[in-house]
Amino acid sequence: MNSQKRLITMLVAAAGLLILPLLLQGFGNAWVRIVDMALLFVLLSLGLNIVVGYAGLLDLGYVAFFAIGAYMYGLLASPHLVETFPAIAAMFPEGMHTPLWAIVPLAAGLAGVFGILLGAPTLRLRGDYLAIVTLGFGEIIRVFMNNLDNPVNITNGPKGLLGIDPLHFFGFNLGKKLSVLGFEFASVSLYYYLFLTLVVVSVVISHRLELSRVGRAWMAIREDEIAAKAMGINTRNMKLLAFGMGATFGGVSGAMFASFQGFISPESFSLMESVMIVAMVVLGGVGHLPGVILGAVLLSALPEVLRYVAGPLQAMTDGRLDASILRQLLIALAMISVMLIRPRGLWPSPEHGKSLQNAKT
């Protein structure tokens, strides 16, 4: 009976997710864009959850992998390289227009390599020291993207990359409207279905990893690294695998972000973005997939929804309070309230921290 109820619930949820963009289109494409960005942050949070939630490694530089994936797609799907380097222009006379089937593995592979490069020198670090090193890595990547325009213009520096192609595959261009059986799907709705597919695949991968021997090894390292090492777990390889696997999610999400926005610049990958992604994982429930998804959706959509609250509040004070500052204040108050009321997160894992609770009792 329980399995039947679960199946019915899943089918209703799936149907709701499929028709959601069609309903939101009636209120304007801006609402569909909000949901699209929420799905991208869900994808980022699922990747960070592998590092923070499963392996227990605090990573404050996760936005670096987001930037790597975005710039990789931006360089391979914009006119920048063709216009800057004559040799590349000769090789691609019609421009570089990379399809989806090539983008996803390239973004995942490149970000995974950088994840391993980050993890290698930090194997002996934990806690605050690991957080500082990963924070520095994230800032280094951002500074590189900001300064690699001289003497050779690779990233176009602070001006960013313009004219990035929308994703296309098998004759479909996600940058254009699509009509099917009388229903018109806007570009943002087509991206919604692509992002939703990637999120579903990522959830399945994360769930299988959690139940696998690798996932159990990560959780053993999270709870007690010394005991895990004494039990024969190769903590070095497991940590590198966690960094690499988590980074692949960030790389794919970054590539999707670049194609969706059509423009990227270093300002999109600041330290604040990393902090927000960590907050999504922690506030939702560290190591628990439903909690991570819930935290990512709420924290990514809340700032946009609060625009409609901060505006009237600003008008009530005759403009004495700035709407953007008021919006940030409301977000901060909401986050503080959640941590006070639900210190383990909105939807915590029933197993996470069980050893610590047993030790206290």
Side-chain angles (χ1 to χ4, degrees):
M1 191 68 179
N2 290 333
S3 60
Q4 291 182 346
K5 289 183 178 180
R6 184 178 300 178
L7 179 61
I8 293 173
T9 302
M10 291 178 63
L11 290 176
V12 171
L17 290 173
L18 289 175
I19 65 173
L20 179 61
L22 299 178
L23 298 176
L24 293 178
Q25 278 183 189
F27 300 96
N29 289 337
W31 288 100
V32 187
R33 289 186 64 89
I34 292 174
V35 177
D36 289 347
M37 292 304 300
L39 289 175
L40 282 180
F41 277 105
V42 169
L43 190 58
L44 282 169
S45 300
L46 290 172
L48 185 61
N49 184 59
I50 292 177
V51 182
V52 177
Y54 293 166
L57 305 171
L58 184 57
D59 187 355
L60 291 182
Y62 190 73
V63 76
F65 310 118
F66 189 44
I68 289 168
Y71 267 90
M72 186 218 66
Y73 179 76
L75 291 173
L76 294 180
S78 73
H80 174 70
L81 290 180
V82 175
E83 294 174 354
T84 305
F85 301 99
I88 297 179
M91 295 172 59
F92 301 94
E94 297 182 359
M96 302 178 68
H97 307 286
T98 311
L100 175 66
W101 58 265
I103 283 299
V104 172
L106 280 174
L110 183 63
V113 169
F114 274 91
I116 294 173
L117 291 177
L118 168 63
T122 62
L123 292 175
R124 296 182 179 273
L125 301 177
R126 286 188 67 84
D128 299 338
Y129 299 100
L130 178 61
I132 292 172
V133 172
T134 54
L135 184 152
F137 175 78
E139 285 299 290
I140 287 171
I141 295 296
R142 185 185 63 82
V143 171
F144 260 95
M145 301 304 182
N146 201 42
N147 290 279
L148 281 179
D149 60 342
N150 189 39
V152 180
N153 189 2
I154 298 176
T155 64
N156 209 28
K159 296 185 289 294
L161 297 177
L162 296 166
I164 300 174
D165 293 339
L167 281 171
H168 59 278
F169 57 98
F170 303 123
F172 290 99
N173 188 338
L174 299 188
K176 299 179 180 179
K177 295 180 180 179
L178 179 66
S179 296
V180 178
L181 300 176
F183 292 97
E184 188 176 82
F185 295 86
S187 173
V188 288
S189 298
L190 296 178
Y191 271 104
Y192 168 87
Y193 291 113
L194 173 61
F195 295 165
L196 181 63
T197 301
L198 290 174
V199 167
V200 171
V201 172
S202 301
V203 168
V204 172
I205 293 174
S206 297
H207 182 62
R208 298 305 301 170
L209 282 173
E210 182 181 1
L211 299 179
S212 67
R213 295 180 62 184
V214 173
R216 295 299 179 186
W218 283 337
M219 294 175 194
I221 294 172
R222 178 190 69 194
E223 298 297 335
D224 193 328
E225 184 176 351
I226 297 175
K229 187 179 293 185
M231 293 299 294
I233 296 174
N234 191 328
T235 56
R236 180 194 63 185
N237 290 351
M238 289 296 104
K239 287 183 179 180
L240 289 177
L241 184 60
F243 274 111
M245 284 295 299
T248 59
F249 288 71
V252 173
S253 181
M256 298 300 108
F257 173 77
S259 68
F260 181 63
Q261 293 288 97
F263 167 77
I264 53 172
S265 67
E267 284 73 21
S268 301
F269 312 104
S270 63
L271 172 63
M272 193 60 199
E273 297 297 324
S274 267
V275 173
M276 285 299 294
I277 300 169
V278 174
M280 292 171 184
V281 175
V282 174
L283 290 179
V286 178
H288 194 217
L289 291 179
V292 170
I293 295 172
L294 177 63
V297 170
L298 290 180
L299 276 185
S300 59
L302 185 62
E304 303 301 326
V305 174
L306 287 179
R307 291 182 188 274
Y308 300 93
V309 178
L313 289 178
Q314 184 185 24
M316 290 172 58
T317 59
D318 296 327
R320 287 190 293 269
L321 288 177
D322 184 77
S324 61
I325 296 176
L326 187 59
R327 186 164 58 99
Q328 294 297 324
L329 176 62
L330 293 174
I331 295 171
L333 290 176
M335 294 172 67
I336 292 171
S337 301
V338 169
M339 293 310 297
L340 289 176
I341 299 172
R342 305 279 294 179
R344 294 181 59 212
L346 290 170
W347 196 343
S349 171
E351 295 183 358
H352 184 62
K354 185 180 290 185
S355 61
L356 183 62
Q357 293 178 355
N358 293 336
K360 290 181 179 179
T361 56

